[in-house]
Each structure stands twice: as structure tokens, then as C-alpha cells.
Amino acid sequence: MKQLEEIKGLGPKTKCSLQRLGVMTSEDLLYYYPFRYETLKKSNIEELKQDDKIVIDGNIESIPTVFHINRRLNKMNFRIVSDGKLLQVVIFNRSFLKSRLSIGEIVTVIGKYDCKHNLIIANDIRLGPLPKSPRIVPIYHSYSGIGGKQIQSYLLQLFSDEIDVVDYIPEGLSLKYQFMDKVRSLKQIHFPTNKHSLKTALLRAKYEELFLFMLKMNYLKKEKQHTNGLKRDVSFAYIEEFIKCLPFSLTEDQLVCIKAIYDDLNGKKRMNRLIQGDVGSGKTIVSFVAMYMNHLSGYQSALMVPTEILARQHYKKLEEIFEPYQVNVAVLTGKTKAKEKREIYEGLKNGTISIVVGTHALISEAVEYKNLGLVITDEQHRFGVNQRSNLKNKGITPDILYMSATPIPRTYALTIYGDMDVSNIHTMPSGRCPVITTIKKNEEIREVLENMYKELKQGHQVYVIAPLIEENEKSDLENVTLLEEKMKKAFGKLYQIGVLHGKMSPKEKEEVMLNFEQNEIQILISTTVVEVGVDVSNATMIVIFDSERFGLSALHQLRGRVGRSNLQSYCILISDSEKERLSILTRTNDGFKISEEDFKLRGSGDLFGVRQSGDMQFKIADLKKDFEILMKAKEDSEVYILNGKIEEDIILKEYVEETKILS
């Protein structure tokens, strides 16, 4: 098989752009699947309504003219004649095509039809006529000028030689399901001949991906059944006494969860448990109790969180809770000063520090633990599999506890986290009032400002959320800078306004959050950096602009920043569209129900954060759409492992052994 360097027309610059798309090798290019398909079939212009999609071919009737709107934007106009009908065509940022568009040439135009002005606003122009029969066209994600046509031209060169790829589906299963040959299926995915062949090829590719995933899960589960845990012998009476001394009562779900963790830690097997709980349901205190159990056994605990703000917040709470027990607690982040870092490194190495909380700084090479017995990862889907593994590998066989405030529908959780035990916390701590959620249009902003003023007058604080940091000429979405100007105009003389976003330095972020926590800032304008774990009990309102841009689970996470005390709290979603979808949040505060709806609407990608996690890099499968295939793959992989066939399969054995090292 050709190497990337051997492909004609693929120079160093293009290779660099392909690498940005994750294409490092020829094999990566074969697995760079289209994200959707278009069927090119000539539209009947008489049947089209305003703004309908149009696919049409015709002869160019006028010389194209180009207008430069600004340095980055140009517009090209020309006319075509199609079946005797004269049509105006407009396309943006395609001025390079002008020299190839001559009068009389036949072109295919794809775009949106403005029937009022007999105009096509094109998004693609192709030289030549439409094929006589409908043609399926793959659509690829592009980067820096690399589009679908280029990708297909490189793929054509690969397929002109003999293709060398590993077929991971065992022969018996291929025969059972009569799967298409792998090389043929890859060619069909990139160059489909008809709908039936494409469907058959996609089924095979999806099954292989999901079979491998479930094989990894089931193999890990089997291996972990034989992994002995650390020896502990702690009386539950000590744990009950610790719980009684907490400054608040725990819910039934929290107590059930704590008992499950206690049984895990005192059992023979190594703990591998996931706690799923809604925002504000009290997962963190459950992890604190787990750390106390671990401390009583003489082991160290490490709690890894995704942000510095959250690490500092947890550290403050840990110090309060463990002060009466003389437990030495430390916080370690990228921002920790060199002298303090050295002291923490020494304390972890000699065992004088029992509990450490921090960001990925916990897994740096310089960190050594004397006897790490418990590893806790908060918001686990935000860390890559390698990051979590690095922390686990800091101890000999530490017990593992994951926490997630993004609940996953039960059926999917049992499959996706098949190698873990899953505990759910549904009930909220007593005294919490459900957050009242409403949807307002942009034209109702005056009413929104009045509602904010009511809360501020009572001494409460308000979050204002924007999806962007700075202006984008292609978007009129509210951004932090613009919102800051608006809020200063409305409240600047009365209240302090702060700004928080991802481009700020850690020191700047911490300073703003500290000022907000101490009520020195009353209105905090922020991007989604406040989504995870930030806990300011005096904040009683969150206003989210352009809320249609967020998934339901993300909005629910943001809403969880308020309602963290006995004060009535409010969430205002500002949007001029998608009212039906957003209305789900006005009807329920149950994150589990919301995640079910999010899953139905958007599929697995955004819900599980797979693009960030590194755990489930599905290139072609979708857990929602392909759930039946997933369940079949789960069943087949279980049988394959149970019957010991994996021990005879060199290719699959090597594949899962790599997974075993990572876990």
C-alpha cells in the first residue's frame, strides 16, 4: 500500500493539513470516513418552495463577476440556463473558480433556491453535468482547503494498489452475518455505487468498531475479576461516626453509595466504580467519605479534577471536613509555586500527606506516592484514558472511583461502562429548591434585566453566560465583551461586574472566582468555564444567552451553578429558536431524564464527551443510532471471550493486551 509521501499531489503542506484532521498514515486516510452522504439528483424547479435545497445543471450564460466585500469575503455572480429557464447564481469565497467558468460550459450548482428572486445561493459548483441516474456523494470534514474532492483523489490512488488492512472480525462471525469483504466495504464507503452496497458496507464497518470496543470492555471486566485489591479491615462503625459528625445530613442514595464503596474497599477485588449523580446531588461528599475509609487503612488518596478553580474549591472543603481528624491535605496544580510543589512532592513521597487534590499535575513524572490506595477522578469524561491510567499507575493496585455529573441513560451506562460497577445518586440534599427555568426571547431582554435586578437587590449574585469569547464576523451571537458592555450599561453604577473565560491566565481566573465567592463581584459574565463544579451558594440566577447553541446536558450543567442552597433560584434561557427542545428544561430538573432526551436528540457524541475523552473514538458508529448493532457486538464479544477463542486469535489478543496496559 502506498505511503502518504508516495501519493501524487500530496506535498508537505497538505500532509500537515491532513495531520490536523488526524490523518498521519495511509491507513488513517482509509479510515477517514465521510460524516454524511448527499444524493445528487436533479431538482424539479417547479416543485421547489422558498429556501428549498436545489441541485441543478445548466449552461453558463454570462461571464462571472467577482465583488470583494472585504479582505476575507468575496462574492461571485453569474447566470445559467437550465431547461430553458434563466437563473441567477451567487456563491461566496469561490472567486478562484472564475477562470474555469466560461460561457457555454455546463456546470452543476448545489445550494438554496430563492424563488422570489429566481436566485440560487450556491454552496458548491461542480464542472460538468449531473449524472443521468442519482449519484451518492460522500461529504467529508475539511480543513485548510482540503475538501472532499482532494481526499477522494488521494483515496483513488490508494485503491489503485493492493490495500493492506487488518480485518478484526473473526472469520466465524463474518460468515455468520455474511459481511462484505473489508477492503471492498472501505471502497464502498468512500466510493458508493448504490444505496444497498453502501448500507451493507457501513453495517460491516460499524459492527467491527463496536465489536472491538465491547471486546475491550469485556476483556477488561474479566481481567479485573482476577485483580486483587488492597487489604483493608475497617469497621463500618467508624464510618457511621464520621457521617454523624458532618455538618449536614446525607440522603438515602448517598448512604447506599457509601455502603457499596465500603464493601468494595473491604472486599478482595479491586474497586472500579462509577458514581453518577445530578449536579448538586452530593457526589463530592461521598468521595470524601471514601477518602476517610482509605485514610483509616493507612493509604493515601488522590482526587483529580478538570479545572484549577474546582481543585481549590475541593481543597477548601477537604480542609474543613478533615481538620478535626488531623488529616494532612494538599492541593497541587500547574500554578502551585515551585517551593510549595517541592514540599508537596516530599510529603507525598514520605507519606505525611494523606490526601491530595489537583489537576493533571497529579500525574506529572515528579510526583511519587508512598502508598497510593485510592484514585478518584471527578468529571471523568473530561480526562483522556491515558491521563486516568497515569494516575492509577502511580500506585501498585489502587482502588478506582470515578464521578460524573453528566448522567448516562441506564441501558447505555451498563454497556459503555461494562467493566465498572455503577452507582446512581438521584435524590437531592434536603432544603434544596428546584431551579425555576424560563425561556425568553431577545426582545424580552428588559424583563430579564428587571428579574436580575430583583435578585441583586436582595443581596444575591447572578451568572451571565455567553457561548463565545470575542466577536466573530460570521456570527451575531452574544459574546463576553459585548455582554460586559450591556451589563455595565444596565448595572455598572450599582454592582460590580466580573468576566471569566478560557483565554484568561489561571491566576486571573482564580482572582475573579475568589472575588465572586466573596461577593465582591455580583454579576459574573462567563463562558462555559463555570460549567463544572463551581459552587457559590449565594448565586441565585443564571442567564444563558444563545441557549439554542448548547446541548440539553450542557445547559443542565450550567443551571447547576445555581440552586445550591435553600434560596429559590432561577435559570433564564435566552433564545429566539428551538423553544420546543429547550422547553424540556422548563419541565424537569432531573439530569437523568434530561440526558435521555439529549441522547434521543443528539446521539452519543456530545453526551459522552467522546471527542475529549479518548475512550470512545468512534469513527463511524453512533451509540444511539447503532444501539442494536452495539448489543449484538456485546453479546458476540462475551461469547468469544467465554469460549476462550480470544486466546487463539493472535490479532485480537494483541489488540486487547494493548488495552490492558492502558487500563
Side-chain angles (χ1 to χ4, degrees):
M1 188 162 69
K2 277 191 177 82
Q3 298 302 306
L4 283 184
E5 295 79 11
E6 298 173 291
I7 293 174
K8 193 179 175 183
L10 202 159
K13 193 176 175 183
T14 308
K15 190 179 177 184
C16 188
S17 294
L18 282 172
Q19 286 173 350
R20 295 284 183 96
L21 293 169
V23 176
M24 310 294 176
T25 64
S26 298
E27 192 172 5
D28 290 338
L29 188 59
L30 288 173
Y31 294 123
Y32 189 70
Y33 297 122
F35 71 93
R36 65 180 177 89
Y37 294 86
E38 261 183 5
T39 303
L40 283 188
K41 182 184 178 184
K42 191 167 182 174
S43 305
N44 182 346
I45 207 160
E46 304 300 329
E47 294 175 358
L48 296 180
K49 298 183 185 74
Q50 181 68 21
D51 295 335
D52 275 356
K53 181 185 171 182
I54 184 169
V55 178
I56 205 160
D57 58 3
N59 296 83
I60 297 173
E61 195 269 342
S62 68
I63 297 168
T65 53
V66 174
F67 301 92
H68 291 277
I69 297 163
N70 59 41
R71 200 160 56 87
R72 293 182 180 178
L73 190 65
N74 62 70
K75 181 172 81 167
M76 185 165 66
N77 293 342
F78 63 95
R79 294 190 299 272
I80 64 167
V81 176
S82 179
D83 297 332
K85 191 175 179 73
L86 188 66
L87 295 155
Q88 186 77 23
V89 178
V90 173
I91 191 162
F92 292 90
N93 285 356
R94 297 287 198 283
S95 58
F96 59 86
L97 286 172
K98 184 185 175 182
S99 60
R100 299 163 71 185
L101 302 176
S102 308
I103 291 176
E105 289 284 332
I106 299 176
V107 289
T108 296
V109 180
I110 302 163
K112 193 163 68 173
Y113 183 48
D114 179 353
C115 55
K116 290 177 186 174
H117 303 97
N118 200 32
L119 169 73
I120 300 172
I121 301 159
N123 54 48
D124 196 12
I125 291 172
R126 303 177 184 201
L127 301 177
L130 275 164
K132 288 180 181 177
S133 56
R135 186 162 69 89
I136 302 165
V137 179
I139 310 296
Y140 298 84
H141 286 297
S142 58
Y143 176 81
S144 190
I146 295 184
K149 289 175 189 173
Q150 266 181 289
I151 288 166
Q152 285 210 310
S153 72
Y154 304 147
L155 283 163
L156 267 175
Q157 291 183 60
L158 286 183
F159 282 112
S160 66
D161 283 355
E162 191 175 327
I163 298 294
D164 180 26
V165 286
V166 179
D167 186 347
Y168 288 104
I169 302 176
E171 192 180 347
L173 290 170
S174 280
L175 288 169
K176 178 184 174 182
Y177 296 117
Q178 297 185 311
F179 281 134
M180 186 184 281
D181 167 76
K182 183 163 183 175
V183 174
R184 191 176 153 224
S185 79
L186 283 168
K187 194 165 185 178
Q188 277 296 321
I189 287 166
H190 293 293
F191 303 98
T193 51
N194 56 61
K195 280 186 178 179
H196 175 72
S197 295
L198 176 60
K199 189 178 176 183
T200 309
L202 289 171
L203 175 64
R204 190 224 181 280
K206 288 175 178 183
Y207 178 86
E208 182 177 48
E209 196 167 49
L210 294 170
F211 176 76
L212 284 174
F213 177 71
M214 289 316 308
L215 194 74
K216 284 194 288 185
M217 285 291 103
N218 289 314
Y219 189 77
L220 287 173
K221 192 173 184 179
K222 177 176 171 268
E223 289 295 307
K224 281 168 185 172
Q225 284 171 351
H226 303 296
T227 306
N228 291 328
L230 296 169
K231 193 174 180 182
R232 290 184 180 84
D233 186 17
V234 177
S235 167
F236 196 66
Y238 290 120
I239 312 306
E240 287 176 318
E241 189 59 37
F242 180 79
I243 292 167
K244 275 180 196 171
C245 294
L246 291 171
F248 42 76
S249 300
L250 298 185
T251 65
E252 187 61 36
D253 281 359
Q254 285 173 312
L255 293 170
V256 168
C257 199
I258 286 165
K259 185 63 170 71
I261 292 167
Y262 174 81
D263 291 341
D264 286 346
L265 293 180
N266 283 275
K268 290 180 181 178
K269 286 194 303 175
R270 183 185 188 184
M271 179 172 76
N272 193 44
R273 184 171 291 277
L274 168 71
I275 304 175
Q276 290 195 120
D278 219 334
V279 280
S281 62
K283 297 178 298 302
T284 306
I285 192 62
V286 169
S287 75
F288 287 8
V289 177
M291 284 189 260
Y292 182 65
M293 294 180 202
N294 189 55
H295 168 73
L296 290 178
S297 303
Y299 296 111
Q300 293 169 301
S301 301
L303 168 58
M304 187 162 72
V305 298
T307 66
E308 203 153 329
I309 292 170
L310 197 52
R312 297 273 170 197
Q313 191 175 285
H314 281 341
Y315 172 65
K316 197 176 165 185
K317 286 184 180 173
L318 280 163
E319 278 209 309
E320 287 171 15
I321 296 287
F322 286 105
E323 189 187 6
Y325 303 92
Q326 278 101 44
V327 175
N328 196 359
V329 181
V331 59
L332 182 63
T333 70
K335 192 201 156 220
T336 306
K337 289 175 183 173
K339 187 189 173 190
E340 198 182 340
K341 259 185 194 173
R342 285 194 296 273
E343 289 171 359
I344 293 169
Y345 291 163
E346 186 57 35
L348 290 171
K349 192 175 179 179
N350 64 30
T352 54
I353 293 174
S354 184
I355 294 172
V356 63
V357 58
T359 56
H360 56 271
L362 295 180
I363 57 174
S364 67
E365 280 186 33
V367 180
E368 287 181 52
Y369 297 85
K370 185 182 180 184
N371 55 355
L372 183 62
L374 178 63
V375 168
I376 302 170
T377 313
D378 196 4
E379 289 303 320
Q380 62 84 26
H381 67 280
R382 291 185 172 242
F383 294 100
V385 67
N386 290 331
Q387 286 178 310
R388 296 203 301 267
S389 298
N390 286 345
L391 183 55
K392 283 189 273 185
N393 295 333
K394 290 285 183 181
I396 300 169
T397 52
D399 290 284
I400 315 299
L401 187 64
Y402 300 113
M403 297 192 290
S404 179
T406 308
I408 296 163
R410 180 171 168 75
T411 318
Y412 295 90
L414 291 173
T415 305
I416 302 313
Y417 297 121
D419 64 322
M420 295 184 199
D421 295 305
V422 181
S423 293
N424 291 329
I425 301 177
H426 290 276
T427 49
M428 298 297 280
S430 60
R432 296 278 177 93
C433 303
V435 178
I436 295 169
T437 304
T438 54
I439 303 167
K440 297 290 179 186
K441 291 184 177 179
N442 279 290
E443 64 190 39
E444 297 174 284
I445 190 68
R446 189 181 181 87
E447 189 184 334
V448 173
L449 295 172
E450 285 170 0
N451 288 334
M452 286 173 66
Y453 185 51
K454 280 179 193 172
E455 293 304 304
L456 292 162
K457 266 202 307 185
Q458 293 177 59
H460 301 157
Q461 291 159 276
V462 177
Y463 293 102
V464 177
I465 306 296
L468 294 178
I469 296 168
E470 49 198 30
E471 271 196 67
N472 180 327
E473 63 184 0
K474 293 181 180 177
S475 173
D476 60 354
L477 296 173
E478 296 290 356
N479 58 66
V480 170
T481 314
L482 191 60
L483 280 175
E484 187 182 12
E485 286 173 20
K486 285 185 178 180
M487 293 301 145
K488 278 183 176 174
K489 197 174 176 181
F491 301 110
K493 291 178 183 177
L494 299 168
Y495 302 103
Q496 287 299 311
I497 296 164
V499 172
L500 187 71
H501 58 72
K503 285 191 176 180
M504 292 165 68
S505 69
K507 187 179 180 181
E508 288 171 325
K509 283 186 209 169
E510 190 178 352
E511 194 177 324
V512 171
M513 273 315 301
L514 188 65
N515 287 337
F516 190 62
E517 282 172 19
Q518 293 174 351
N519 203 0
E520 288 171 19
I521 289 172
Q522 288 76 49
I523 299 171
L524 181 62
I525 302 163
S526 175
T527 55
T528 54
V529 292
V530 299
E531 181 187 331
V532 179
V534 175
D535 189 355
V536 178
S537 57
N538 191 49
T540 57
M541 180 173 282
I542 185 163
V543 180
I544 306 169
F545 281 80
D546 302 303
S547 49
E548 74 281 353
R549 298 275 299 177
F550 299 89
L552 295 178
S553 291
L555 287 170
H556 182 60
Q557 281 282 322
L558 286 166
R559 176 169 65 178
R561 296 316 101 221
V562 297
R564 302 182 82 85
S565 67
N566 58 356
L567 299 168
Q568 180 60 63
S569 294
Y570 306 88
C571 172
I572 301 176
L573 306 175
I574 298 181
S575 175
D576 291 334
S577 60
E578 295 195 22
K579 192 168 181 180
E580 191 177 334
R581 181 177 74 93
L582 296 175
S583 68
I584 293 162
L585 291 158
T586 67
R587 297 194 298 269
T588 181
N589 279 277
D590 186 330
F592 287 86
K593 286 180 184 174
I594 288 162
S595 74
E596 291 276 3
E597 292 297 329
D598 215 1
F599 200 85
K600 286 177 196 170
L601 291 165
R602 300 195 304 155
S604 59
D606 296 313
L607 182 62
F608 294 116
V610 296
R611 290 177 184 82
Q612 291 81 27
S613 73
D615 288 50
M616 297 183 287
Q617 296 289 352
F618 295 134
K619 291 178 184 292
I620 201 161
D622 181 294
L623 293 182
K624 178 175 77 84
K625 294 175 185 172
D626 305 317
F627 190 66
E628 284 184 28
I629 305 171
L630 176 72
M631 294 311 289
K632 186 55 69 179
K634 179 178 185 282
E635 184 186 313
D636 291 339
S637 65
E638 284 170 346
V639 171
Y640 201 71
I641 290 168
L642 190 67
N643 293 344
K645 290 184 181 178
I646 194 164
E647 304 301 327
E648 304 160 16
D649 193 320
I650 297 165
I651 292 168
L652 286 177
K653 181 71 173 171
E654 281 180 5
Y655 183 84
V656 293
E657 283 296 338
E658 281 178 32
T659 303
K660 184 179 166 185
I661 293 163
L662 279 176
S663 67

